[in-house]
Amino acid sequence: MALITISGYPCSGKTTRATALKEEFETKIKDPTYEGLITSIVLISDDTLSLSRDGYNDGRAEKPQRAALFTAVQRNLAKNTVLIVDGLNYIKGFRYQMYCAAREANVRVATVFIAATAEICRSWYQEKPEAARYAEATFENLIQRYEEPSSMVRWDSPLFTIPWNEEQPPVDEIWQAVTGGLLRPPNAGTKSIPKPPSDALQTLETMTATIVSEIMSNQTLGAGAGISLKLYDGTDGPIKMQLPSRTVTLSELQRLKRQFVMMHRKAITQGATENGPVDWSEEAIAAKFGNYLEERLG
């Protein structure tokens, strides 16, 4: 249904606001008069995922930290769920990544920015128990590196700014945004691409090698030049290719095989070509490779 990204300085009160939102939303969906599609409110954070604050002490450790959070976001995005992501979310590139995941899942988005001054955050930082603090140098570094959300960019919109001293956040406005606001459909950049089967590359290599061997065997038997050679027993009949009226050498076939396989490696790793999803069955590969050889052997 929706992704709500909580953002703000460290120790700005993000968890307090995120928890309050979760409680308010759960009250709404438990109301007997509620007839919407939302059945659960999920809150994820570094704490719920057991991610240590020490992970932000250096860039190399921070990357797997963000990756774990992003994986949890992808896993919990659903049409019947409001997902609240309580974290630093201080890098606009990471907020954009979560926005793209939400569009791919076809759910709404909203950003809640907890506006607190650095001085207030430093004061609250000193009040936290030692185990719940960032390292002091890390805390200051996170404040310096923070990239504030902007309502001018689509991945931060709609943006709700809540001052640190505001007692009552705009719960109803946020609820309206995540239940009835603009729903951006997936585009070409965010649309999920079907992954090829795990044995696609092996099937490609095996099928093309089998066809090369079949052509050479027929030529050895003296029945190769100019004939229509069966390559595969397809579901709609045998797949054939027209051999040229000359003898084809093994080196020529091997060269064309390598070219064909190399052309399709990228499609295997990405799951599609510019023309859309690819069929990686033996039958489809046999037909494509047969056509490829016919065009180039002429």
Side-chain angles (χ1 to χ4, degrees):
M1 176 60 73
L3 166 69
I4 300 176
T5 303
I6 309 292
S7 184
Y9 282 159
C11 302
S12 60
K14 297 185 298 299
T15 298
T16 300
R17 300 294 189 176
T19 303
L21 270 182
K22 182 178 187 293
E23 292 172 352
E24 292 279 0
F25 287 175
E26 285 178 335
T27 300
K28 288 181 179 293
I29 65 174
K30 290 176 183 176
D31 189 314
T33 62
Y34 176 68
E35 298 179 347
L37 300 175
I38 300 173
T39 59
S40 64
I41 312 297
V42 176
L43 172 62
I44 62 173
S45 66
D46 287 350
D47 290 337
T48 65
L49 299 174
S50 300
L51 299 175
S52 171
R53 286 171 173 76
D54 292 340
Y56 294 97
N57 290 347
D58 65 82
R60 284 181 299 178
E62 187 177 338
K63 286 183 180 179
Q65 192 105 339
R66 286 202 304 270
L69 182 62
F70 182 67
T71 299
V73 169
Q74 290 180 302
R75 186 168 57 245
N76 286 281
L77 287 171
K79 294 291 184 66
N80 65 340
T81 301
V82 172
L83 175 60
I84 302 172
V85 183
D86 169 27
L88 288 171
N89 301 322
Y90 69 98
I91 300 174
K92 61 185 178 182
F94 184 60
R95 296 197 297 268
Y96 176 72
Q97 187 179 9
M98 291 193 291
Y99 162 82
C100 289
R103 287 192 65 176
E104 182 181 321
N106 204 26
V107 300
R108 295 179 175 86
V109 296
T111 303
V112 175
F113 170 47
I114 312 303
T117 64
E119 290 72 22
I120 289 292
C121 295
R122 290 188 181 101
S123 173
W124 288 345
Y125 169 80
Q126 296 298 332
E127 296 174 5
K128 283 183 173 288
E130 191 77 25
R133 292 186 194 178
Y134 298 96
E136 189 165 352
T138 300
F139 174 79
E140 293 294 338
N141 186 37
L142 290 171
I143 287 180
Q144 293 298 322
R145 292 165 58 196
Y146 184 75
E147 296 174 337
E148 186 174 318
S150 170
S151 60
M152 300 298 291
V153 297
R154 60 188 183 279
W155 57 88
D156 287 334
S157 300
L159 175 63
F160 298 90
T161 300
I162 304 177
W164 65 272
N165 57 354
E166 184 175 303
E167 293 186 6
Q168 183 60 37
V171 175
D172 291 337
E173 288 86 345
I174 298 172
W175 177 257
Q176 177 57 37
V178 300
T179 58
L182 177 64
L183 178 60
R184 298 179 183 274
N187 58 21
T190 60
K191 195 173 293 183
S192 178
I193 299 174
K195 292 183 179 180
S198 58
D199 62 346
L201 183 57
Q202 181 181 353
T203 304
L204 178 66
E205 290 279 4
T206 302
M207 199 68 235
T208 51
T210 299
I211 290 174
V212 168
S213 297
E214 188 67 23
I215 294 173
M216 293 305 299
S217 296
N218 274 269
Q219 288 190 149
T220 301
L221 295 173
I227 70 165
S228 179
L229 176 65
K230 184 177 78 170
L231 304 179
Y232 191 85
D233 288 317
T235 54
D236 297 324
I239 296 172
K240 298 182 178 182
M241 70 165 285
Q242 187 70 33
L243 293 179
S245 55
R246 61 180 177 83
T247 299
V248 182
T249 64
L250 177 59
S251 61
E252 187 177 8
L253 288 173
Q254 293 284 20
R255 176 176 57 81
L256 292 173
K257 172 185 173 294
R258 285 194 300 270
Q259 290 176 356
F260 182 82
V261 170
M262 287 179 64
M263 284 169 50
H264 288 77
R265 279 184 183 273
K266 183 178 178 181
I268 288 176
T269 57
Q270 295 183 348
T273 64
E274 294 178 355
N275 297 320
V278 178
D279 183 354
W280 297 108
S281 66
E282 290 184 348
E283 181 176 349
I285 292 173
K288 285 184 179 182
F289 189 45
N291 291 335
Y292 182 82
L293 291 176
E294 281 185 353
E295 292 174 2
R296 281 151 183 80
L297 293 175

